């Protein structure tokens, strides 16, 4: 059986990070048993009640949750239902681990969206094999989802993924009262570039710009998508407006430094981008459309102020 780390690396195209497992149980002895079974191959995280588990999943989603049913306060069924009801956590597989299995409980758990049921006391080899199977399936479906959401030309996320993620991040920002920033990016005088160098060169230019933007984002939660034509968009969760402005200026410089010749550009002799930044403190709920409209308006300002620059504003 292939090692979960190599499975992860293969499916996600990343360096060999260990898959992330969340164990939710209120009994220290059970936590200890699970830790011993999985610590060598997985990053094991612990939650001792339902609320902790939900917070963990919403802020730093694991690859799989091993969930006890009987816990004080919120029980495992309620936790599973809450995970499946939230767009940001619904794809995390849940395996119930419980001492009291019967057909009624098992059916209820599976109907709530759990992928498997394991009885306590657990057999280490069985639980390891079942978790490994589910992790493999999770990575395969992550990959499928990723392919559906990639832009065919540039390889960055497409508009569909962007819209979905923006809705998720706007909701997360409202819930956590955390800042959120959006950057709209448009290649300057791109029609002239196509006219001058041809459509194929135009395509190559878009790929270079997209990959340059992608490589410049440092945090795992940041994303860049092709918004349409020669326009890109970045979502920067948990990022204050001033930091987003600094990032936009850095993106402008990084694209400029690629030094892609653009003899006919009115802004420089190389390909440049204009950027519109919209910041939100997270102190009150907003609509994704409001943030988009502000970023768009700021992009318009940047174009009219001479292009090859970033303009920004923060929602108050
Ligand atoms: N090569 C190529 N060109 C594209 C693609 N998508 C959009 N374009 C071109 O991008 C150009 C965008 O032109 P405009 O919207 O007039 O903007 P611009 O010339 O960049 O001017 P400003 O945005 O005002 O700086 C159009 O000529 C489109 O045909 C693509 O996938 N490949």
């Amino acid at each position: 059986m292939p090692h979960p780390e190599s499975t992860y690396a293969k499916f996600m195209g990343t360096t060999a990070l260990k898959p992330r497992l969340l164990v939710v149980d209120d009994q220290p002895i059970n936590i200890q048993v699970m830790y011993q079974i999985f610590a060598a191959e997985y990053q094991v995280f612990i939650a001792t009640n339902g609320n902790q588990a939900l917070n963990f999943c919403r802020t730093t989603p694991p690859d799989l949750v091993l969930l006890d049913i009987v816990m004080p306060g919120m029980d495992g069924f309620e936790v599973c239902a809450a995970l499946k009801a939230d767009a940001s956590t619904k794809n995390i597989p849940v395996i119930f681990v419980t001492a009291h299995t019967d057909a009624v409980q098992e059916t209820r758990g599976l109907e709530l969206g759990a992928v498997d049921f394991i009885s306590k006391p657990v057999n280490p080899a069985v639980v390891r094999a079942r978790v490994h199977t589910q992790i493999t399936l999770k990575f395969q479906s992550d990959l499928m989802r990723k392919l559906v959401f990639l832009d065919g030309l540039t390889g960055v996320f497409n508009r569909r993924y962007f819209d979905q993620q923006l809705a998720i991040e706007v909701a997360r920002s409202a819930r956590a009262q955390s800042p959120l920033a959006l950057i709209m990016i448009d290649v300057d005088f791109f029609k002239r570039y196509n006219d001058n160098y041809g459509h194929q060169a135009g395509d190559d230019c878009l790929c270079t710009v997209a990959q340059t933007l992608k490589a410049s984002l440092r945090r795992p939660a940041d994303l860049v998508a092709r918004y349409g034509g020669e326009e890109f968009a970045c979502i920067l969760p948990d990022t204050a407006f001033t930091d987003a402005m600094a990032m936009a200026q850095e993106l402008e410089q990084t694209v400029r430094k690629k030094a892609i010749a653009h003899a006919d550009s009115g802004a420089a002799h190389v390909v440049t981008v204009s950027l519109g930044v919209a910041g939100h403190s997270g102190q009150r709920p907003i609509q994704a459309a409001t943030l988009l409209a502000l970023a768009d308006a700021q992009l318009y300002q940047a174009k009219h102020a001479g292009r090859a620059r970033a303009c920004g504003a923060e929602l108050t």
Side-chain angles (χ1 to χ4, degrees):
M1 186 180 287
H3 191 275
E5 274 185 46
S6 61
T7 309
Y8 184 91
K10 190 166 130 211
F11 284 126
M12 300 311 288
T14 64
T15 51
L17 287 172
K18 288 182 181 181
R20 295 158 50 82
L21 207 61
L22 176 66
V23 175
V24 189
D25 204 307
D26 60 317
Q27 301 292 323
I29 180 68
N30 294 335
I31 292 171
Q32 203 179 345
V33 168
M34 288 301 189
Y35 192 85
Q36 277 165 0
I37 294 174
F38 292 110
E41 294 170 322
Y42 296 85
Q43 298 178 68
V44 182
F45 302 91
I46 309 295
T48 53
N49 62 54
N51 277 324
Q52 256 182 25
L54 290 177
N55 284 337
F56 184 88
C57 290
R58 284 171 182 151
T59 49
T60 49
D63 296 305
L64 187 137
V65 178
L66 285 168
L67 184 57
D68 187 23
I69 294 181
V70 183
M71 293 186 289
M74 195 181 238
D75 72 18
F77 290 131
E78 291 172 275
V79 176
C80 183
L83 287 173
K84 298 300 158 189
D86 184 332
S88 68
T89 56
K90 72 175 185 335
N91 295 321
I92 304 170
V94 173
I95 297 181
F96 279 115
V97 186
T98 177
H100 317 284
T101 41
D102 59 43
V104 175
Q105 279 211 328
E106 204 164 320
T107 308
R108 184 173 170 206
L110 295 171
E111 280 175 358
L112 283 172
V115 291
D116 204 354
F117 242 86
I118 295 172
S119 322
K120 280 194 262 192
V122 295
N123 173 309
V126 170
V127 70
R128 220 181 268 126
R130 287 192 171 179
V131 164
H132 182 220
T133 299
Q134 294 303 334
I135 287 277
T136 303
L137 289 171
K138 159 81 163 39
F139 292 155
Q140 285 171 337
S141 55
D142 281 354
L143 181 68
M144 296 300 277
R145 264 193 298 277
K146 233 175 140 177
L147 291 178
V148 167
F149 287 129
L150 288 186
D151 173 56
L153 176 66
T154 62
V156 298
F157 288 115
N158 60 21
R159 172 72 175 271
R160 195 170 358 150
Y161 187 78
F162 171 84
D163 288 341
Q164 184 182 296
Q165 283 309 110
L166 184 60
I168 288 173
E169 293 303 341
V170 163
R172 198 199 305 272
S173 157
R175 201 166 46 230
Q177 298 202 322
S178 56
L180 174 65
L182 182 63
I183 309 179
M184 301 298 294
I185 304 156
D186 189 278
V187 183
D188 295 322
F189 295 113
F190 196 60
K191 184 177 179 321
R192 293 188 197 172
Y193 188 92
N194 272 329
D195 292 347
N196 207 9
Y197 300 99
H199 203 82
Q200 180 57 52
D203 283 0
D204 295 345
C205 172
L206 290 178
C207 288
T208 304
V209 170
Q211 291 306 321
T212 304
L213 297 172
K214 187 178 170 191
S216 305
L217 299 179
R218 283 179 290 266
R219 294 192 192 167
D222 296 347
L223 79 81
V224 60
R226 186 167 178 214
Y227 193 70
E230 65 340 338
E231 198 168 0
F232 299 91
C234 295
I235 303 175
L236 308 177
D238 260 317
T239 305
F241 172 62
T242 47
D243 295 333
M245 277 307 291
M247 175 53 86
Q249 266 135 17
E250 190 181 320
L251 293 175
E252 196 282 317
Q253 288 294 314
T254 315
V255 171
R256 187 192 286 263
K257 281 183 191 147
K258 277 279 152 185
I260 308 165
H262 189 350
D264 209 13
S265 166
H269 296 299
V270 293
V271 168
T272 58
V273 289
S274 297
L275 307 95
V277 181
H280 174 50
S281 67
Q283 294 309 301
R284 64 179 177 83
I286 49 147
Q287 301 285 318
T290 312
L291 206 58
L292 268 170
L294 182 62
D296 229 16
Q298 292 303 312
L299 173 58
Y300 184 82
Q301 292 281 327
K303 289 279 181 190
H304 281 261
R307 297 177 176 81
R309 72 195 64 208
C311 288
E314 190 170 20
L315 283 171
T316 49

